[in-house]
Amino acid sequence: MQTLTITATTTAASALASPVEGNLPWLSILIGLPALVGILTLALAPLRVIGRWIALSAAGVELVLAIIAATTMNWNGNGAQLAETYPWIPRIGISWALGVTQLGMVMILLAAALVPLVLVAAWNEDNGRRDVGRNSGTYAALILVLEAFMVMIFAARDVAVFYIAFEAMLIPLYFMVGRYGQSTSAENHRAAIKFLLYSLFGGLVMLGGLIGIYVVSGGGETAFLVENLAGLEMASNVELAIFVTFFIAFAIKAPMVPVHTWLPDTAAVARPGTSALLVGVLDKIGTYGMLALCLPLFPHASAQAAPVIITFALISIIWGGLAAIGQRDVMRLVSFTSVSHFGFMVLGIYVGSHLALVGAMFYMVAHGVSIAAMFLISGFLAERGNSRTIADYQGMQRVTPLIAGTWLVAGLASVALPGLSGFVPEYLVLVGTWSALPAAALVAVLGVVIAACYLLLPYKRMFTGPVPKAVNGRASEKVADLNWREKTVVAPLLLASAVLGIWSAPLVNALNPVAETALAQLNEGQAAVAAQATEDTNALAQLAEGQTAAATVDANVLAQLAEGQTAAATVDANVLAADTTFEGSTK
């Protein structure tokens, strides 16, 4: 069978409209501010003493700047906006190229909103550490550095810049889990190393794809610009190989079954704020990468791999939900629910429906809000009981009704109760999947049923029942409910869940242009795959026709040969008879 070279048509290239520059380098500012403040706080001991206040102030300014930058965008436009392009390392084709689509800006806003809430939630978590006086701001400074990398990833228009941030964010996360985890030192480091190994493996595989892109593109000073790479001509087998390297990295980050096991182990030991940022924002890099890189750069390979990806997405939905039901640790429970939710997001991306694509992107935002609330509220509960075991809190509904109630509301938002943030995106994914692939929709609906079980059963085991006599050695009547600081953290998250559930139209409308672009890229890939299949079928038919003709010729040759052999045998017989007659007459 011949090897086909598929050239991307103008569809994908035109779908990536020309970047639109902003009136200021907003994205560089949004990256530089938290990075500079975080690094200075880490480097200077006097700043670490007041590091929490410094970090909170910087995070507040970052949120305000992000909102202002968002107001300068055209939310109905196509392509990257607030674009900046400067030469960085031109000898190897790397540019400091930034720009955001509507999805990228929404994710930056989500990150900028969660960071100050996480800082406030973690305000007292360093109390009791031996170095709390000298280094109380170290954890907060690491969060700022991490925020800079989050913005950098969602704003990158250069694949190499994306990769650098993708790998560099592991540095603050490693210390946030390994040094500032809430389990024993050995367990913290074990979880941090497992997280690091999984992430580094995905990054190293992706590096191979990055090198492949550079080779195929032919190099140049802007070899890694996404808009230059969209529509790049490459052989189908090469495109598929490079796509796989990117997808593996994103599947680990998402996370999808079977490369998800690092997440529950990490969440079981990490601080609630670390888990809120990790699952609420950072893991969305996986699904964001599928939309921002896999579809525009590898549309044909994406379409070719879609059936396999959809299968693993469905497995993630079911497996994550069933695994969540059996958990005894509340943080592992919340993390396994996320595995199931990420299955819905990946399903929506690759099923080939506009509705499902909008739902998948909406899901990224809604899940970030609800899952952050669940992690933080679970952390407030664990702080009171000095335990993350679900059974230790039976009856706490009557002791801490606000914790129990807010945990339930956040959970209901996560499992798509109508009127809360999770309903609209899950509905859109399911309806869109039904229109494109009904069998997959039927399997995904099972995940909805399982979701009710993994929320309500743990709630029953954790909060209902008789009032406990004591919690963590303290009389239950002396255990405090949410204080003002914790209410300040929880209230905005629950309010955001309600707003997204009731007034979802603005976000849906904002994400529509991104969904149209992604669908055009996926449709182009599907058309190319269909064309390739048709050409392969025609080639096989021609080969079969040629083989039939050859067989006919061979048959004719064999018949002629047989005829010749018969004639020769007749001549030989006549000669032999003549010889015999001659010999007889001679005698």
Side-chain angles (χ1 to χ4, degrees):
M1 186 181 302
Q2 59 183 339
T3 301
L4 299 178
T5 299
I6 301 177
T7 304
T9 64
T10 56
T11 308
S14 61
L16 291 179
S18 299
V20 179
E21 295 184 0
N23 56 353
L24 286 173
W26 287 109
L27 300 176
S28 291
I29 294 171
L30 291 174
I31 295 170
L33 172 64
L36 179 62
V37 175
I39 292 172
L40 287 177
T41 305
L42 289 172
L44 302 176
L47 295 182
R48 291 199 295 273
V49 177
I50 56 172
R52 289 178 294 185
W53 288 105
I54 293 174
L56 184 59
S57 301
V61 173
E62 177 84 355
L63 177 58
V64 171
L65 291 176
I67 293 173
I68 295 173
T71 61
T72 66
M73 288 181 56
N74 175 12
W75 286 87
N76 296 317
N78 286 316
Q81 301 184 54
L82 308 182
E84 311 168 31
T85 308
Y86 310 103
W88 187 14
I89 315 176
R91 292 183 66 86
I92 56 175
I94 301 178
S95 307
W96 181 255
L98 305 174
V100 287
T101 61
Q102 290 85 343
L103 175 62
M105 178 51 76
V106 168
M107 295 307 298
I108 290 173
L109 289 171
L110 176 63
L114 285 182
V115 165
L117 295 178
V118 167
L119 289 170
V120 173
W123 200 260
N124 295 327
E125 287 180 342
D126 280 316
N127 293 345
R129 292 180 63 93
R130 289 180 298 176
D131 59 351
V132 62
R134 292 179 291 105
N135 296 312
S136 62
T138 304
Y139 178 74
L142 289 171
I143 290 178
L144 287 183
V145 175
L146 183 63
E147 181 178 19
F149 288 129
M150 287 190 286
V151 176
M152 188 173 171
I153 285 174
F154 292 123
R157 283 173 40 236
D158 185 289
V159 182
V161 172
F162 180 97
Y163 177 78
I164 291 169
F166 187 85
E167 291 291 85
M169 71 179 182
L170 301 179
I171 299 172
L173 275 172
Y174 173 79
F175 290 105
M176 290 168 69
V177 176
R179 183 174 180 180
Y180 293 95
Q182 294 187 325
S183 186
T184 64
S185 177
E187 290 179 349
N188 291 342
H189 283 89
R190 188 181 302 113
I193 289 295
K194 184 173 183 178
F195 161 73
L196 192 64
L197 289 176
Y198 267 78
S199 300
L200 283 177
F201 172 76
L204 288 173
V205 172
M206 185 178 173
L207 178 60
L210 200 68
I211 295 171
I213 284 178
Y214 185 80
V215 172
V216 173
S217 68
E221 295 185 356
T222 57
F224 291 110
L225 276 180
V226 173
E227 52 263 33
N228 292 346
L229 294 173
L232 182 66
E233 180 179 341
M234 66 181 81
S236 57
N237 54 347
V238 173
E239 180 180 350
L240 181 60
I242 299 176
F243 164 80
V244 169
T245 65
F246 277 72
F247 185 82
I248 288 174
F250 296 147
I252 292 173
K253 188 63 66 181
M256 292 179 66
V257 174
V259 289
H260 68 290
T261 57
W262 63 269
L263 177 59
D265 292 344
T266 302
V269 304
R271 291 186 178 188
T274 301
S275 298
L277 291 176
L278 179 61
V279 184
V281 181
L282 286 163
D283 285 353
K284 305 302 190 306
I285 294 169
T287 48
Y288 178 81
M290 296 175 193
L291 287 161
L293 296 182
C294 287
L295 291 184
L297 303 189
F298 320 111
H300 318 117
S302 296
Q304 190 175 353
V308 176
I309 295 171
I310 290 171
T311 301
F312 278 103
L314 294 173
I315 292 172
S316 296
I317 292 172
I318 304 302
W319 180 269
L322 292 177
I325 293 174
Q327 297 306 308
R328 299 179 180 179
D329 182 295
V330 64
M331 296 300 186
R332 292 180 65 89
L333 161 69
V334 178
S335 63
F336 269 113
T337 68
S338 296
V339 174
S340 181
H341 294 311
F342 276 102
F344 279 102
M345 296 177 211
V346 177
L347 174 64
I349 292 171
Y350 281 96
V351 79
S353 161
H354 182 271
L355 278 179
L357 274 164
V358 174
M361 290 184 285
F362 197 125
Y363 218 131
M364 292 167 63
V365 181
H367 177 262
V369 172
S370 62
I371 211 67
M374 291 193 73
F375 272 120
L376 294 175
I377 297 168
S378 298
F380 296 150
L381 179 65
E383 183 180 347
R384 286 156 172 77
N386 196 28
S387 169
R388 297 185 173 192
T389 303
I390 292 173
D392 291 346
Y393 298 100
Q394 187 172 16
M396 287 296 287
Q397 182 182 35
R398 301 182 183 183
V399 179
T400 55
L402 282 178
I403 291 179
T406 53
W407 193 92
L408 180 61
V409 172
L412 291 172
S414 178
V415 301
L417 181 75
L420 294 175
S421 59
F423 174 73
V424 173
E426 196 158 296
Y427 175 79
L428 291 175
V429 170
L430 290 173
V431 171
T433 302
W434 176 262
S435 66
L437 201 61
L442 292 175
V443 176
V445 166
L446 294 177
V448 179
V449 178
I450 295 172
C453 297
Y454 67 58
L455 173 70
L456 297 178
L457 291 178
Y459 181 85
K460 179 182 178 182
R461 297 198 304 266
M462 188 160 52
F463 290 112
T464 63
V467 178
K469 295 181 180 179
V471 178
N472 193 22
R474 300 170 59 192
S476 60
E477 61 270 14
K478 295 184 178 181
V479 176
D481 208 343
L482 293 177
N483 57 38
W484 68 267
R485 175 179 58 85
E486 294 164 338
K487 292 175 184 176
T488 302
V489 173
V490 174
L493 294 172
L494 297 188
L495 178 62
S497 291
V499 170
L500 288 172
I502 297 171
W503 193 37
S504 57
L507 183 56
V508 170
N509 293 335
L511 296 174
N512 261 321
V514 186
E516 291 171 359
T517 299
L519 186 61
Q521 292 157 353
L522 194 57
N523 286 341
E524 178 203 342
Q526 291 172 339
V529 170
Q532 180 177 351
T534 301
E535 191 162 346
D536 287 345
T537 301
N538 293 337
L540 286 173
Q542 293 171 358
L543 180 61
E545 182 180 349
Q547 289 173 337
T548 302
T552 303
V553 171
D554 290 344
N556 293 335
V557 170
L558 288 174
Q560 293 171 358
L561 180 61
E563 183 179 349
Q565 289 174 338
T566 302
T570 303
V571 171
D572 290 343
N574 293 335
V575 171
L576 182 60
D579 287 345
T580 304
T581 304
F582 176 75
E583 290 177 359
S585 62
T586 303
K587 293 178 180 179

